[in-house]
Amino acid sequence: MVDFRAAFFIKSAPSPMGLDADIGREIAFAGRSNAGKSTVLNALVGQKSLARTSRTPGRTQLINLFGLGDESRRLVDLPGYGYAKVPAAMRQRWGVALAKYFAERRSLAGVVVIMDIRHPLKDSDRQMIDFALDRDLPVLCLLNKADKLSNNEISKTVLSLRRDAALSQVSWLPFSGLRGLGVPEARSLLSEWLSESEPEDERADAEPSEGTPAG
Ligand SMILES: Nc1nc2c(ncn2[C@@H]2O[C@H](COP(=O)(O)OP(=O)(O)OP(=O)(O)O)[C@@H](O)[C@H]2O)c(=O)[nH]1
Ligand SMILES: [Mg+2]
């Protein structure tokens, strides 16, 4: 199990071009502004303010890169999308850079899309999911702010999302960054993504691992 509590800030970058070398494994976090991305990240790493949270949507306009223990396993906090005050030209440039990142980044091992459970699966969320599925990357959708709904409402929402045949490969998890709901489940899935053997041609060079635990 990856130690999420050992998360530390590596750097901020204005675009995916400014990220570090494309080695090791990383998981990208995407979501609409105000869906609670920073709160979710803080809950996952068990730190109050690793990723800054704000009541002003769209304050986080940089990519923030975090290491887990060392820099070979990383969480990539992408800027929130859907923020109306970002100029159209900037949004356009960002969209192109993001598409390139999702298409070409070899260390990208999976994508987490954070949504407000009360307003799930907006067009921009679908776009992120499609970027990931186009490359057969695993996707976890965290339905954040589940504390705002009753258990019955949560079940209904999750059931209807899981029924979407086009999204059958996507995992859905009710979540509350505020209350810690879903944290152990999310950590264990992301841990798997970060721990699987290296993708593609790197695998051919890898030593066969000894003593792999059974089960
Ligand atoms: N009730 C509830 N509120 C939450 C939860 N997660 C986040 N919030 C609130 O939602 C607001 C936005 O949270 P952030 O974590 O800053 O959201 P963000 O997506 O990082 O926002 P930007 O970086 O500004 O785009 C804050 O007021 C949080 O307190 C949650 O699980 N439950
Ligand atoms: Mg944020």
Side-chain angles (χ1 to χ4, degrees), residues 31-40 42 52-61 77 79-81 114 118 144-148 175-179:
R32 290 170 60 80
S33 281
N34 214 41
K37 191 154 50 65
S38 300
T39 306
V40 167
N42 288 334
R52 259 185 291 168
T53 57
S54 73
R55 280 169 203 281
T56 318
R59 189 179 288 178
T60 324
Q61 290 298 340
D77 179 18
Y81 42 79
I114 290 135
R118 299 165 298 178
N144 192 38
K145 309 198 187 183
D147 55 280
K148 295 273 195 186
F175 199 92
S176 170
L178 222 56
R179 301 274 163 81

PDB file of all heavy atoms in Angstrom, residues 31-40 42 52-61 77 79-81 114 118 144-148 175-179, ligand 1:
ATOM      1  N   GLY A  31     -11.249  18.067 -12.210  1.00  0.00           N
ATOM      2  CA  GLY A  31     -12.596  18.324 -11.715  1.00  0.00           C
ATOM      3  C   GLY A  31     -12.992  19.769 -11.958  1.00  0.00           C
ATOM      4  O   GLY A  31     -12.131  20.627 -12.143  1.00  0.00           O
ATOM      5  N   ARG A  32     -14.295  19.989 -11.974  1.00  0.00           N
ATOM      6  CA  ARG A  32     -14.786  21.353 -12.132  1.00  0.00           C
ATOM      7  C   ARG A  32     -14.402  22.168 -10.915  1.00  0.00           C
ATOM      8  O   ARG A  32     -14.291  21.649  -9.813  1.00  0.00           O
ATOM      9  CB  ARG A  32     -16.315  21.350 -12.259  1.00  0.00           C
ATOM     10  CG  ARG A  32     -16.812  20.772 -13.576  1.00  0.00           C
ATOM     11  CD  ARG A  32     -18.308  20.577 -13.541  1.00  0.00           C
ATOM     12  NE  ARG A  32     -19.027  21.828 -13.314  1.00  0.00           N
ATOM     13  CZ  ARG A  32     -19.272  22.729 -14.252  1.00  0.00           C
ATOM     14  NH1 ARG A  32     -18.868  22.519 -15.499  1.00  0.00           N
ATOM     15  NH2 ARG A  32     -19.926  23.831 -13.982  1.00  0.00           N
ATOM     16  N   SER A  33     -14.216  23.464 -11.143  1.00  0.00           N
ATOM     17  CA  SER A  33     -13.928  24.358 -10.033  1.00  0.00           C
ATOM     18  C   SER A  33     -14.995  24.210  -8.971  1.00  0.00           C
ATOM     19  O   SER A  33     -16.184  24.110  -9.279  1.00  0.00           O
ATOM     20  CB  SER A  33     -13.897  25.807 -10.514  1.00  0.00           C
ATOM     21  OG  SER A  33     -12.672  26.046 -11.130  1.00  0.00           O
ATOM     22  N   ASN A  34     -14.549  24.161  -7.730  1.00  0.00           N
ATOM     23  CA  ASN A  34     -15.449  24.109  -6.588  1.00  0.00           C
ATOM     24  C   ASN A  34     -16.060  22.727  -6.328  1.00  0.00           C
ATOM     25  O   ASN A  34     -16.865  22.584  -5.415  1.00  0.00           O
ATOM     26  CB  ASN A  34     -16.558  25.163  -6.738  1.00  0.00           C
ATOM     27  CG  ASN A  34     -16.972  25.718  -5.384  1.00  0.00           C
ATOM     28  OD1 ASN A  34     -16.108  25.965  -4.533  1.00  0.00           O
ATOM     29  ND2 ASN A  34     -18.256  25.886  -5.173  1.00  0.00           N
ATOM     30  N   ALA A  35     -15.677  21.727  -7.120  1.00  0.00           N
ATOM     31  CA  ALA A  35     -16.173  20.374  -6.846  1.00  0.00           C
ATOM     32  C   ALA A  35     -15.548  19.828  -5.561  1.00  0.00           C
ATOM     33  O   ALA A  35     -16.054  18.862  -4.984  1.00  0.00           O
ATOM     34  CB  ALA A  35     -15.852  19.440  -8.014  1.00  0.00           C
ATOM     35  N   GLY A  36     -14.443  20.449  -5.148  1.00  0.00           N
ATOM     36  CA  GLY A  36     -13.803  20.048  -3.897  1.00  0.00           C
ATOM     37  C   GLY A  36     -12.509  19.280  -4.107  1.00  0.00           C
ATOM     38  O   GLY A  36     -12.086  18.501  -3.260  1.00  0.00           O
ATOM     39  N   LYS A  37     -11.844  19.542  -5.237  1.00  0.00           N
ATOM     40  CA  LYS A  37     -10.629  18.806  -5.586  1.00  0.00           C
ATOM     41  C   LYS A  37      -9.548  18.951  -4.508  1.00  0.00           C
ATOM     42  O   LYS A  37      -8.942  17.959  -4.100  1.00  0.00           O
ATOM     43  CB  LYS A  37     -10.122  19.291  -6.942  1.00  0.00           C
ATOM     44  CG  LYS A  37      -9.037  18.429  -7.524  1.00  0.00           C
ATOM     45  CD  LYS A  37      -9.001  18.517  -9.031  1.00  0.00           C
ATOM     46  CE  LYS A  37      -8.991  19.949  -9.535  1.00  0.00           C
ATOM     47  NZ  LYS A  37      -7.748  20.660  -9.146  1.00  0.00           N
ATOM     48  N   SER A  38      -9.313  20.177  -4.053  1.00  0.00           N
ATOM     49  CA  SER A  38      -8.276  20.385  -3.037  1.00  0.00           C
ATOM     50  C   SER A  38      -8.645  19.685  -1.731  1.00  0.00           C
ATOM     51  O   SER A  38      -7.800  19.058  -1.081  1.00  0.00           O
ATOM     52  CB  SER A  38      -8.067  21.884  -2.792  1.00  0.00           C
ATOM     53  OG  SER A  38      -7.669  22.511  -3.988  1.00  0.00           O
ATOM     54  N   THR A  39      -9.914  19.759  -1.356  1.00  0.00           N
ATOM     55  CA  THR A  39     -10.381  19.110  -0.122  1.00  0.00           C
ATOM     56  C   THR A  39     -10.213  17.597  -0.222  1.00  0.00           C
ATOM     57  O   THR A  39      -9.798  16.941   0.730  1.00  0.00           O
ATOM     58  CB  THR A  39     -11.864  19.467   0.124  1.00  0.00           C
ATOM     59  OG1 THR A  39     -11.995  20.890   0.108  1.00  0.00           O
ATOM     60  CG2 THR A  39     -12.340  18.940   1.463  1.00  0.00           C
ATOM     61  N   VAL A  40     -10.531  17.043  -1.395  1.00  0.00           N
ATOM     62  CA  VAL A  40     -10.384  15.601  -1.618  1.00  0.00           C
ATOM     63  C   VAL A  40      -8.916  15.192  -1.513  1.00  0.00           C
ATOM     64  O   VAL A  40      -8.572  14.213  -0.844  1.00  0.00           O
ATOM     65  CB  VAL A  40     -10.963  15.209  -2.997  1.00  0.00           C
ATOM     66  CG1 VAL A  40     -10.540  13.801  -3.393  1.00  0.00           C
ATOM     67  CG2 VAL A  40     -12.479  15.333  -2.985  1.00  0.00           C
ATOM     68  N   ASN A  42      -6.498  16.672   0.066  1.00  0.00           N
ATOM     69  CA  ASN A  42      -6.076  16.769   1.467  1.00  0.00           C
ATOM     70  C   ASN A  42      -6.582  15.585   2.280  1.00  0.00           C
ATOM     71  O   ASN A  42      -5.869  15.058   3.125  1.00  0.00           O
ATOM     72  CB  ASN A  42      -6.550  18.085   2.081  1.00  0.00           C
ATOM     73  CG  ASN A  42      -5.766  19.280   1.550  1.00  0.00           C
ATOM     74  OD1 ASN A  42      -4.627  19.137   1.128  1.00  0.00           O
ATOM     75  ND2 ASN A  42      -6.391  20.439   1.561  1.00  0.00           N
ATOM     76  N   ARG A  52      -4.133  23.666  -1.283  1.00  0.00           N
ATOM     77  CA  ARG A  52      -4.893  24.769  -0.687  1.00  0.00           C
ATOM     78  C   ARG A  52      -6.370  24.694  -1.051  1.00  0.00           C
ATOM     79  O   ARG A  52      -6.729  24.418  -2.192  1.00  0.00           O
ATOM     80  CB  ARG A  52      -4.335  26.109  -1.167  1.00  0.00           C
ATOM     81  CG  ARG A  52      -3.434  26.743  -0.120  1.00  0.00           C
ATOM     82  CD  ARG A  52      -3.000  28.104  -0.569  1.00  0.00           C
ATOM     83  NE  ARG A  52      -2.082  28.023  -1.711  1.00  0.00           N
ATOM     84  CZ  ARG A  52      -1.746  29.069  -2.437  1.00  0.00           C
ATOM     85  NH1 ARG A  52      -2.268  30.251  -2.207  1.00  0.00           N
ATOM     86  NH2 ARG A  52      -0.896  28.931  -3.429  1.00  0.00           N
ATOM     87  N   THR A  53      -7.237  24.909  -0.101  1.00  0.00           N
ATOM     88  CA  THR A  53      -8.664  24.960  -0.406  1.00  0.00           C
ATOM     89  C   THR A  53      -9.121  26.410  -0.347  1.00  0.00           C
ATOM     90  O   THR A  53      -8.530  27.229   0.330  1.00  0.00           O
ATOM     91  CB  THR A  53      -9.498  24.147   0.605  1.00  0.00           C
ATOM     92  OG1 THR A  53      -9.237  24.650   1.902  1.00  0.00           O
ATOM     93  CG2 THR A  53      -9.139  22.683   0.546  1.00  0.00           C
ATOM     94  N   SER A  54     -10.148  26.696  -1.069  1.00  0.00           N
ATOM     95  CA  SER A  54     -10.620  28.075  -1.089  1.00  0.00           C
ATOM     96  C   SER A  54     -12.116  28.121  -1.296  1.00  0.00           C
ATOM     97  O   SER A  54     -12.722  27.165  -1.782  1.00  0.00           O
ATOM     98  CB  SER A  54      -9.954  28.840  -2.214  1.00  0.00           C
ATOM     99  OG  SER A  54     -10.501  28.428  -3.441  1.00  0.00           O
ATOM    100  N   ARG A  55     -12.705  29.196  -0.918  1.00  0.00           N
ATOM    101  CA  ARG A  55     -14.112  29.420  -1.191  1.00  0.00           C
ATOM    102  C   ARG A  55     -14.295  30.231  -2.474  1.00  0.00           C
ATOM    103  O   ARG A  55     -15.394  30.522  -2.883  1.00  0.00           O
ATOM    104  CB  ARG A  55     -14.777  30.133  -0.016  1.00  0.00           C
ATOM    105  CG  ARG A  55     -15.116  29.173   1.094  1.00  0.00           C
ATOM    106  CD  ARG A  55     -15.527  29.902   2.354  1.00  0.00           C
ATOM    107  NE  ARG A  55     -15.330  29.045   3.528  1.00  0.00           N
ATOM    108  CZ  ARG A  55     -16.164  28.082   3.890  1.00  0.00           C
ATOM    109  NH1 ARG A  55     -17.267  27.869   3.216  1.00  0.00           N
ATOM    110  NH2 ARG A  55     -15.906  27.335   4.928  1.00  0.00           N
ATOM    111  N   THR A  56     -13.186  30.599  -3.068  1.00  0.00           N
ATOM    112  CA  THR A  56     -13.253  31.355  -4.325  1.00  0.00           C
ATOM    113  C   THR A  56     -12.961  30.396  -5.464  1.00  0.00           C
ATOM    114  O   THR A  56     -11.829  29.963  -5.619  1.00  0.00           O
ATOM    115  CB  THR A  56     -12.192  32.481  -4.345  1.00  0.00           C
ATOM    116  OG1 THR A  56     -12.186  33.093  -3.072  1.00  0.00           O
ATOM    117  CG2 THR A  56     -12.468  33.478  -5.434  1.00  0.00           C
ATOM    118  N   PRO A  57     -13.965  30.019  -6.253  1.00  0.00           N
ATOM    119  CA  PRO A  57     -13.715  29.033  -7.306  1.00  0.00           C
ATOM    120  C   PRO A  57     -12.639  29.521  -8.268  1.00  0.00           C
ATOM    121  O   PRO A  57     -12.579  30.705  -8.593  1.00  0.00           O
ATOM    122  CB  PRO A  57     -15.055  28.902  -8.032  1.00  0.00           C
ATOM    123  CG  PRO A  57     -16.059  29.575  -7.184  1.00  0.00           C
ATOM    124  CD  PRO A  57     -15.337  30.507  -6.265  1.00  0.00           C
ATOM    125  N   GLY A  58     -11.820  28.593  -8.707  1.00  0.00           N
ATOM    126  CA  GLY A  58     -10.854  28.919  -9.746  1.00  0.00           C
ATOM    127  C   GLY A  58      -9.570  29.548  -9.251  1.00  0.00           C
ATOM    128  O   GLY A  58      -8.746  29.982 -10.035  1.00  0.00           O
ATOM    129  N   ARG A  59      -9.361  29.561  -7.941  1.00  0.00           N
ATOM    130  CA  ARG A  59      -8.129  30.179  -7.465  1.00  0.00           C
ATOM    131  C   ARG A  59      -6.906  29.356  -7.873  1.00  0.00           C
ATOM    132  O   ARG A  59      -5.835  29.895  -8.096  1.00  0.00           O
ATOM    133  CB  ARG A  59      -8.186  30.337  -5.937  1.00  0.00           C
ATOM    134  CG  ARG A  59      -7.048  31.170  -5.408  1.00  0.00           C
ATOM    135  CD  ARG A  59      -7.127  31.346  -3.900  1.00  0.00           C
ATOM    136  NE  ARG A  59      -8.211  32.245  -3.505  1.00  0.00           N
ATOM    137  CZ  ARG A  59      -8.489  32.520  -2.241  1.00  0.00           C
ATOM    138  NH1 ARG A  59      -7.794  31.968  -1.277  1.00  0.00           N
ATOM    139  NH2 ARG A  59      -9.477  33.348  -1.941  1.00  0.00           N
ATOM    140  N   THR A  60      -7.107  28.042  -7.962  1.00  0.00           N
ATOM    141  CA  THR A  60      -5.982  27.168  -8.294  1.00  0.00           C
ATOM    142  C   THR A  60      -5.809  27.121  -9.810  1.00  0.00           C
ATOM    143  O   THR A  60      -6.498  26.380 -10.482  1.00  0.00           O
ATOM    144  CB  THR A  60      -6.247  25.733  -7.779  1.00  0.00           C
ATOM    145  OG1 THR A  60      -6.934  25.823  -6.540  1.00  0.00           O
ATOM    146  CG2 THR A  60      -4.977  24.960  -7.604  1.00  0.00           C
ATOM    147  N   GLN A  61      -4.929  27.912 -10.369  1.00  0.00           N
ATOM    148  CA  GLN A  61      -4.761  27.935 -11.824  1.00  0.00           C
ATOM    149  C   GLN A  61      -3.469  27.294 -12.280  1.00  0.00           C
ATOM    150  O   GLN A  61      -3.157  27.291 -13.452  1.00  0.00           O
ATOM    151  CB  GLN A  61      -4.848  29.374 -12.360  1.00  0.00           C
ATOM    152  CG  GLN A  61      -6.246  29.972 -12.283  1.00  0.00           C
ATOM    153  CD  GLN A  61      -7.275  29.213 -13.112  1.00  0.00           C
ATOM    154  OE1 GLN A  61      -6.931  28.480 -14.026  1.00  0.00           O
ATOM    155  NE2 GLN A  61      -8.538  29.381 -12.786  1.00  0.00           N
ATOM    156  N   ASP A  77      -2.259  17.581  -9.529  1.00  0.00           N
ATOM    157  CA  ASP A  77      -3.483  18.340  -9.277  1.00  0.00           C
ATOM    158  C   ASP A  77      -3.671  19.346 -10.418  1.00  0.00           C
ATOM    159  O   ASP A  77      -2.995  20.361 -10.472  1.00  0.00           O
ATOM    160  CB  ASP A  77      -3.337  19.035  -7.914  1.00  0.00           C
ATOM    161  CG  ASP A  77      -4.535  19.885  -7.554  1.00  0.00           C
ATOM    162  OD1 ASP A  77      -5.610  19.705  -8.155  1.00  0.00           O
ATOM    163  OD2 ASP A  77      -4.388  20.740  -6.658  1.00  0.00           O
ATOM    164  N   PRO A  79      -5.611  22.189 -12.754  1.00  0.00           N
ATOM    165  CA  PRO A  79      -6.497  23.303 -12.408  1.00  0.00           C
ATOM    166  C   PRO A  79      -7.965  22.953 -12.655  1.00  0.00           C
ATOM    167  O   PRO A  79      -8.282  22.187 -13.559  1.00  0.00           O
ATOM    168  CB  PRO A  79      -6.061  24.417 -13.363  1.00  0.00           C
ATOM    169  CG  PRO A  79      -4.710  24.038 -13.832  1.00  0.00           C
ATOM    170  CD  PRO A  79      -4.669  22.538 -13.815  1.00  0.00           C
ATOM    171  N   GLY A  80      -8.833  23.491 -11.831  1.00  0.00           N
ATOM    172  CA  GLY A  80     -10.270  23.254 -12.009  1.00  0.00           C
ATOM    173  C   GLY A  80     -10.755  23.817 -13.337  1.00  0.00           C
ATOM    174  O   GLY A  80     -10.294  24.857 -13.770  1.00  0.00           O
ATOM    175  N   TYR A  81     -11.677  23.109 -13.972  1.00  0.00           N
ATOM    176  CA  TYR A  81     -12.197  23.612 -15.242  1.00  0.00           C
ATOM    177  C   TYR A  81     -13.629  24.114 -15.075  1.00  0.00           C
ATOM    178  O   TYR A  81     -14.263  23.887 -14.051  1.00  0.00           O
ATOM    179  CB  TYR A  81     -12.113  22.559 -16.342  1.00  0.00           C
ATOM    180  CG  TYR A  81     -12.508  21.149 -15.938  1.00  0.00           C
ATOM    181  CD1 TYR A  81     -13.848  20.772 -15.835  1.00  0.00           C
ATOM    182  CD2 TYR A  81     -11.532  20.195 -15.680  1.00  0.00           C
ATOM    183  CE1 TYR A  81     -14.202  19.470 -15.491  1.00  0.00           C
ATOM    184  CE2 TYR A  81     -11.877  18.900 -15.333  1.00  0.00           C
ATOM    185  CZ  TYR A  81     -13.216  18.541 -15.236  1.00  0.00           C
ATOM    186  OH  TYR A  81     -13.561  17.269 -14.883  1.00  0.00           O
ATOM    187  N   ILE A 114     -13.139  14.425 -10.002  1.00  0.00           N
ATOM    188  CA  ILE A 114     -13.911  14.787  -8.817  1.00  0.00           C
ATOM    189  C   ILE A 114     -15.129  15.600  -9.234  1.00  0.00           C
ATOM    190  O   ILE A 114     -15.022  16.571  -9.987  1.00  0.00           O
ATOM    191  CB  ILE A 114     -13.037  15.568  -7.831  1.00  0.00           C
ATOM    192  CG1 ILE A 114     -11.996  14.603  -7.235  1.00  0.00           C
ATOM    193  CG2 ILE A 114     -13.870  16.164  -6.704  1.00  0.00           C
ATOM    194  CD1 ILE A 114     -10.644  15.151  -7.197  1.00  0.00           C
ATOM    195  N   ARG A 118     -24.112  16.204  -6.346  1.00  0.00           N
ATOM    196  CA  ARG A 118     -25.410  16.803  -6.678  1.00  0.00           C
ATOM    197  C   ARG A 118     -25.481  17.262  -8.133  1.00  0.00           C
ATOM    198  O   ARG A 118     -26.566  17.551  -8.654  1.00  0.00           O
ATOM    199  CB  ARG A 118     -25.690  17.981  -5.739  1.00  0.00           C
ATOM    200  CG  ARG A 118     -25.767  17.564  -4.271  1.00  0.00           C
ATOM    201  CD  ARG A 118     -25.675  18.748  -3.343  1.00  0.00           C
ATOM    202  NE  ARG A 118     -24.385  19.444  -3.477  1.00  0.00           N
ATOM    203  CZ  ARG A 118     -24.062  20.533  -2.802  1.00  0.00           C
ATOM    204  NH1 ARG A 118     -24.908  21.084  -1.959  1.00  0.00           N
ATOM    205  NH2 ARG A 118     -22.876  21.093  -2.971  1.00  0.00           N
ATOM    206  N   ASN A 144     -18.095  13.644  -4.794  1.00  0.00           N
ATOM    207  CA  ASN A 144     -17.774  14.360  -3.561  1.00  0.00           C
ATOM    208  C   ASN A 144     -19.000  15.111  -3.010  1.00  0.00           C
ATOM    209  O   ASN A 144     -19.981  15.310  -3.712  1.00  0.00           O
ATOM    210  CB  ASN A 144     -16.623  15.332  -3.837  1.00  0.00           C
ATOM    211  CG  ASN A 144     -16.038  15.907  -2.573  1.00  0.00           C
ATOM    212  OD1 ASN A 144     -15.914  15.217  -1.558  1.00  0.00           O
ATOM    213  ND2 ASN A 144     -15.695  17.181  -2.600  1.00  0.00           N
ATOM    214  N   LYS A 145     -18.873  15.501  -1.760  1.00  0.00           N
ATOM    215  CA  LYS A 145     -19.932  16.223  -1.031  1.00  0.00           C
ATOM    216  C   LYS A 145     -21.138  15.318  -0.782  1.00  0.00           C
ATOM    217  O   LYS A 145     -22.273  15.776  -0.697  1.00  0.00           O
ATOM    218  CB  LYS A 145     -20.344  17.526  -1.751  1.00  0.00           C
ATOM    219  CG  LYS A 145     -19.150  18.426  -2.124  1.00  0.00           C
ATOM    220  CD  LYS A 145     -19.532  19.854  -2.425  1.00  0.00           C
ATOM    221  CE  LYS A 145     -18.305  20.639  -2.947  1.00  0.00           C
ATOM    222  NZ  LYS A 145     -18.571  22.048  -3.198  1.00  0.00           N
ATOM    223  N   ALA A 146     -20.867  13.998  -0.680  1.00  0.00           N
ATOM    224  CA  ALA A 146     -21.940  13.040  -0.416  1.00  0.00           C
ATOM    225  C   ALA A 146     -22.608  13.320   0.930  1.00  0.00           C
ATOM    226  O   ALA A 146     -23.746  12.903   1.160  1.00  0.00           O
ATOM    227  CB  ALA A 146     -21.395  11.611  -0.456  1.00  0.00           C
ATOM    228  N   ASP A 147     -21.894  14.034   1.809  1.00  0.00           N
ATOM    229  CA  ASP A 147     -22.507  14.399   3.096  1.00  0.00           C
ATOM    230  C   ASP A 147     -23.714  15.315   2.922  1.00  0.00           C
ATOM    231  O   ASP A 147     -24.500  15.494   3.850  1.00  0.00           O
ATOM    232  CB  ASP A 147     -21.449  15.063   3.997  1.00  0.00           C
ATOM    233  CG  ASP A 147     -20.784  16.263   3.344  1.00  0.00           C
ATOM    234  OD1 ASP A 147     -19.860  16.067   2.521  1.00  0.00           O
ATOM    235  OD2 ASP A 147     -21.197  17.395   3.616  1.00  0.00           O
ATOM    236  N   LYS A 148     -23.871  15.888   1.737  1.00  0.00           N
ATOM    237  CA  LYS A 148     -25.004  16.778   1.466  1.00  0.00           C
ATOM    238  C   LYS A 148     -26.275  16.011   1.101  1.00  0.00           C
ATOM    239  O   LYS A 148     -27.351  16.605   0.983  1.00  0.00           O
ATOM    240  CB  LYS A 148     -24.670  17.732   0.312  1.00  0.00           C
ATOM    241  CG  LYS A 148     -23.543  18.703   0.615  1.00  0.00           C
ATOM    242  CD  LYS A 148     -24.084  19.932   1.295  1.00  0.00           C
ATOM    243  CE  LYS A 148     -23.040  21.062   1.279  1.00  0.00           C
ATOM    244  NZ  LYS A 148     -23.508  22.216   2.057  1.00  0.00           N
ATOM    245  N   PHE A 175     -18.210  10.011  -1.977  1.00  0.00           N
ATOM    246  CA  PHE A 175     -17.042  10.515  -1.257  1.00  0.00           C
ATOM    247  C   PHE A 175     -17.415  11.768  -0.484  1.00  0.00           C
ATOM    248  O   PHE A 175     -18.327  12.507  -0.881  1.00  0.00           O
ATOM    249  CB  PHE A 175     -15.944  10.841  -2.281  1.00  0.00           C
ATOM    250  CG  PHE A 175     -14.561  10.930  -1.710  1.00  0.00           C
ATOM    251  CD1 PHE A 175     -13.739   9.817  -1.688  1.00  0.00           C
ATOM    252  CD2 PHE A 175     -14.072  12.129  -1.202  1.00  0.00           C
ATOM    253  CE1 PHE A 175     -12.453   9.888  -1.170  1.00  0.00           C
ATOM    254  CE2 PHE A 175     -12.792  12.210  -0.679  1.00  0.00           C
ATOM    255  CZ  PHE A 175     -11.971  11.091  -0.669  1.00  0.00           C
ATOM    256  N   SER A 176     -16.738  11.981   0.622  1.00  0.00           N
ATOM    257  CA  SER A 176     -16.830  13.277   1.281  1.00  0.00           C
ATOM    258  C   SER A 176     -15.465  13.657   1.815  1.00  0.00           C
ATOM    259  O   SER A 176     -14.972  13.043   2.765  1.00  0.00           O
ATOM    260  CB  SER A 176     -17.842  13.247   2.433  1.00  0.00           C
ATOM    261  OG  SER A 176     -17.733  14.459   3.184  1.00  0.00           O
ATOM    262  N   GLY A 177     -14.854  14.634   1.168  1.00  0.00           N
ATOM    263  CA  GLY A 177     -13.558  15.119   1.621  1.00  0.00           C
ATOM    264  C   GLY A 177     -13.667  15.689   3.024  1.00  0.00           C
ATOM    265  O   GLY A 177     -12.751  15.578   3.837  1.00  0.00           O
ATOM    266  N   LEU A 178     -14.810  16.253   3.309  1.00  0.00           N
ATOM    267  CA  LEU A 178     -15.042  16.895   4.600  1.00  0.00           C
ATOM    268  C   LEU A 178     -15.152  15.860   5.713  1.00  0.00           C
ATOM    269  O   LEU A 178     -14.635  16.046   6.806  1.00  0.00           O
ATOM    270  CB  LEU A 178     -16.338  17.708   4.519  1.00  0.00           C
ATOM    271  CG  LEU A 178     -16.354  19.087   5.154  1.00  0.00           C
ATOM    272  CD1 LEU A 178     -15.244  19.962   4.608  1.00  0.00           C
ATOM    273  CD2 LEU A 178     -17.704  19.752   4.935  1.00  0.00           C
ATOM    274  N   ARG A 179     -15.838  14.750   5.438  1.00  0.00           N
ATOM    275  CA  ARG A 179     -16.090  13.746   6.480  1.00  0.00           C
ATOM    276  C   ARG A 179     -15.183  12.524   6.386  1.00  0.00           C
ATOM    277  O   ARG A 179     -15.233  11.664   7.253  1.00  0.00           O
ATOM    278  CB  ARG A 179     -17.547  13.250   6.375  1.00  0.00           C
ATOM    279  CG  ARG A 179     -18.585  14.317   6.507  1.00  0.00           C
ATOM    280  CD  ARG A 179     -18.920  14.583   7.971  1.00  0.00           C
ATOM    281  NE  ARG A 179     -19.598  15.862   8.110  1.00  0.00           N
ATOM    282  CZ  ARG A 179     -20.891  16.037   7.880  1.00  0.00           C
ATOM    283  NH1 ARG A 179     -21.633  15.015   7.529  1.00  0.00           N
ATOM    284  NH2 ARG A 179     -21.434  17.228   8.016  1.00  0.00           N
TER     285      ARG A 179
HETATM  286  N1  LIG B   1     -20.163  19.670   2.337  1.00  0.00           N
HETATM  287  C1  LIG B   1     -18.991  19.496   1.735  1.00  0.00           C
HETATM  288  N2  LIG B   1     -18.320  20.552   1.255  1.00  0.00           N
HETATM  289  C2  LIG B   1     -17.137  20.330   0.650  1.00  0.00           C
HETATM  290  C3  LIG B   1     -16.605  19.027   0.475  1.00  0.00           C
HETATM  291  N3  LIG B   1     -15.444  19.137  -0.197  1.00  0.00           N
HETATM  292  C4  LIG B   1     -15.259  20.450  -0.435  1.00  0.00           C
HETATM  293  N4  LIG B   1     -16.270  21.188   0.077  1.00  0.00           N
HETATM  294  C5  LIG B   1     -16.410  22.652   0.039  1.00  0.00           C
HETATM  295  O1  LIG B   1     -16.483  23.086  -1.305  1.00  0.00           O
HETATM  296  C6  LIG B   1     -15.765  24.312  -1.476  1.00  0.00           C
HETATM  297  C7  LIG B   1     -14.696  24.151  -2.533  1.00  0.00           C
HETATM  298  O2  LIG B   1     -13.717  23.246  -2.051  1.00  0.00           O
HETATM  299  P1  LIG B   1     -12.247  23.182  -2.686  1.00  0.00           P
HETATM  300  O3  LIG B   1     -11.608  21.972  -2.129  1.00  0.00           O
HETATM  301  O4  LIG B   1     -11.538  24.464  -2.548  1.00  0.00           O
HETATM  302  O5  LIG B   1     -12.645  22.957  -4.209  1.00  0.00           O
HETATM  303  P2  LIG B   1     -11.731  22.952  -5.526  1.00  0.00           P
HETATM  304  O6  LIG B   1     -12.409  22.059  -6.472  1.00  0.00           O
HETATM  305  O7  LIG B   1     -10.325  22.656  -5.161  1.00  0.00           O
HETATM  306  O8  LIG B   1     -11.892  24.448  -5.993  1.00  0.00           O
HETATM  307  P3  LIG B   1     -10.892  25.347  -6.890  1.00  0.00           P
HETATM  308  O9  LIG B   1      -9.488  24.907  -6.663  1.00  0.00           O
HETATM  309  O10 LIG B   1     -11.126  26.729  -6.377  1.00  0.00           O
HETATM  310  O11 LIG B   1     -11.360  25.162  -8.292  1.00  0.00           O
HETATM  311  C8  LIG B   1     -15.207  24.675  -0.105  1.00  0.00           C
HETATM  312  O12 LIG B   1     -16.091  25.576   0.514  1.00  0.00           O
HETATM  313  C9  LIG B   1     -15.177  23.341   0.620  1.00  0.00           C
HETATM  314  O13 LIG B   1     -15.271  23.466   2.017  1.00  0.00           O
HETATM  315  C10 LIG B   1     -17.353  17.911   1.005  1.00  0.00           C
HETATM  316  O14 LIG B   1     -16.998  16.739   0.907  1.00  0.00           O
HETATM  317  N5  LIG B   1     -18.540  18.221   1.608  1.00  0.00           N
END
